[in-house]
C-alpha cells in the first residue's frame, strides 16, 4: 500500500474512532459543548472550514482516481480472461484490480464519514444549545409561578382585611380604608395578569423548544442508523476480501 492510501486508511480508522467516541451515551451534548469551548479548539475552529473543504477536495480526487483505476483494471481483467494468457499475468492483473477496489472503498467511506462527522458535531452543538435554552426557560417558568403565588397571597390578605373591618371603626375611616384596599387589590390583579401572560408565553416557548429538540434527536438517530449500516457493509467487504 502506497503512502497516500496508508494515510487514507489511517484517516478512515480515525474517523470511525471519533464518531464512536461522540456516540458514547454517558457523555452529554452539554459536556461536548464544554469540550469544544476549550481555548485550543477555539483556535482550531478559525481554520475548521478551510480544513474541511481541503480534505473534501483531496478525498474526492482520491476517490475519482480509485474509480478510474477500477475501470481500467476491470477492462484489462476481462480482456486477459478472454485471451487466456498465462496464470501469472492474470494473477497480477487480479491483484491490481483488488488493490484499486480496496482504494475505492477506503476513499469512499472516508469521504462519507467525514461528512457524517461534521454533521454529527453540528447536531451536538445545536442540541446542547437547545438543552441550555430549555433549562433557562424552565427556570423562568418556575420563577413566574413563584411570583404568581406571592401575588395571590398578597391579594388574599387585603380581602381578609376588608371582610373584618368596620365593626368598631367609624364609617368615614372605613370607607377610606376600603377604597385604598380596593386600589391595592386592582394593582395586584394587574401585576398578576402580567405575570400570567409571561408564564403562558414561557410555557409556549418551552413547548417549541421541546419539539425542536425532539426533531434534532430524531435526525441524530437517523444519522447513527446510517452509520451503523455503512459500518456493517464495510465489515462485510473486508470479510469477503479476507476470504
Amino acid at each position: 500500500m502506497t503512502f497516500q492510501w496508508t494515510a487514507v486508511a489511517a484517516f478512515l480508522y480515525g474517523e470511525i474512532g471519533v464518531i464512536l467516541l461522540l456516540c458514547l451515551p454517558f457523555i452529554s451534548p452539554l459536556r461536548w459543548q464544554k469540550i469544544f469551548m476549550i481555548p485550543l479548539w477555539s483556535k482550531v475552529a478559525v481554520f475548521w472550514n478551510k480544513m474541511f473543504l481541503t480534505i473534501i477536495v483531496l478525498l474526492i480526487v482520491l476517490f475519482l482516481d480509485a474509480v478510474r483505476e477500477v475501470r481500467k483494471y476491470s477492462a484489462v481483467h476481462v480482456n486477459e480472461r478472454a485471451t487466456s494468457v498465462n496464470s501469472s499475468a492474470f494473477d497480477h492483473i487480479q491483484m491490481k484490480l483488488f488493490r484499486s477496489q480496496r482504494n475505492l472503498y477506503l476513499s469512499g467511506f472516508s469521504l462519507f464519514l467525514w461528512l457524517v462527522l461534521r454533521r454529527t458535531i453540528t447536531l451536538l452543538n445545536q442540541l446542547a444549545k437547545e438543552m441550555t435554552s430549555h433549562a433557562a426557560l424552565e427556570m423562568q417558568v418556575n420563577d413566574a409561578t413563584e411570583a404568581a403565588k406571592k401575588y395571590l397571597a398578597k391579594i388574599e390578605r387585603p380581602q381578609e382585611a376588608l371582610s373584618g373591618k368596620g365593626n368598631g371603626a367609624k364609617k368615614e375611616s372605613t370607607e377610606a380604608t376600603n377604597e385604598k384596599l380596593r386600589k391595592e387589590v386592582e394593582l395586584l390583579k394587574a401585576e398578576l395578569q402580567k405575570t400570567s401572560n409571561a408564564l403562558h408565553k414561557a410555557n409556549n416557548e418551552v413547548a417549541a423548544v421541546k419539539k425542536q429538540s425532539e426533531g434534532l434527536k430524531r435526525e441524530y438517530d437517523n444519522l447513527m442508523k446510517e452509520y451503523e449500516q455503512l459500518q456493517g457493509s464495510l465489515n462485510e467487504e473486508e470479510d469477503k476480501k479476507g476470504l
Side-chain angles (χ1 to χ4, degrees):
M1 187 183 292
T2 59
F3 174 76
Q4 60 181 4
W5 295 114
T6 302
V8 172
F11 184 71
L12 174 62
Y13 297 144
E15 286 177 323
I16 294 173
V18 172
I19 291 177
L20 289 176
L21 186 63
L22 292 174
C23 295
L24 292 177
F26 54 85
I27 304 179
S28 65
L30 293 175
R31 180 65 58 84
W32 281 118
Q33 188 183 39
K34 291 180 181 179
I35 294 174
F36 295 149
M37 294 299 291
I38 294 175
L40 177 61
W41 289 109
S42 300
K43 294 179 181 178
V44 175
V46 178
F47 307 98
W48 168 247
N49 290 328
K50 293 181 180 179
M51 182 177 68
F52 174 77
L53 293 176
T54 302
I55 293 177
I56 284 288
V57 171
L58 291 176
L59 290 175
I60 289 175
V61 171
L62 291 173
F63 179 75
L64 294 177
D65 182 65
V67 171
R68 182 185 62 82
E69 292 290 328
V70 169
R71 294 182 62 182
K72 171 183 174 182
Y73 289 113
S74 295
V76 174
H77 179 74
V78 173
N79 293 333
E80 293 291 342
R81 210 173 210 180
T83 55
S84 300
V85 296
N86 55 24
S87 60
S88 61
F90 182 77
D91 291 339
H92 181 73
I93 295 300
Q94 193 171 12
M95 179 186 67
K96 291 285 189 180
L97 178 60
F98 169 76
R99 288 180 178 176
S100 59
Q101 289 174 342
R102 177 203 61 196
N103 296 337
L104 177 65
Y105 289 125
L106 287 175
S107 58
F109 278 107
S110 297
L111 178 61
F112 176 77
L113 291 181
W114 185 240
L115 296 173
V116 170
L117 181 61
R118 178 183 174 88
R119 183 58 178 166
T120 303
I121 293 174
T122 303
L123 287 176
L124 283 174
N125 284 327
Q126 291 179 356
L127 186 58
K129 291 179 181 178
E130 294 298 332
M131 291 174 68
T132 303
S133 61
H134 181 266
L137 286 174
E138 283 187 346
M139 291 180 62
Q140 185 178 356
V141 169
N142 293 332
D143 293 340
T145 304
E146 292 296 328
K149 290 180 179 179
K150 291 180 180 179
Y151 288 141
L152 286 174
K154 288 182 180 180
I155 289 174
E156 290 175 356
R157 285 197 297 268
Q159 288 179 347
E160 291 176 356
L162 279 173
S163 62
K165 287 278 185 179
N167 291 331
K170 293 182 180 180
K171 186 176 181 180
E172 294 180 357
S173 60
T174 301
E175 290 179 355
T177 303
N178 290 341
E179 184 66 24
K180 182 179 180 181
L181 289 173
R182 287 192 189 95
K183 291 181 179 179
E184 185 176 355
V185 168
E186 290 177 357
L187 179 62
L188 290 174
K189 284 183 178 180
E191 293 179 355
L192 179 60
Q193 183 64 32
K194 291 180 181 179
T195 305
S196 299
N197 294 335
L199 179 60
H200 180 68
K201 183 178 179 182
N203 287 329
N204 291 335
E205 292 178 355
V206 169
V209 169
K210 285 183 178 179
K211 290 181 181 179
Q212 190 173 2
S213 299
E214 290 175 357
L216 288 173
K217 287 181 180 178
R218 285 195 297 270
E219 188 175 354
Y220 180 74
D221 292 337
N222 292 333
L223 280 175
M224 291 311 306
K225 289 180 181 178
E226 292 180 2
Y227 166 72
E228 290 175 358
Q229 292 176 357
L230 288 171
Q231 184 64 27
S233 63
L234 178 60
N235 292 332
E236 289 178 1
E237 291 293 336
E238 291 181 351
D239 293 339
K240 289 179 180 180
K241 293 175 182 178
L243 295 175

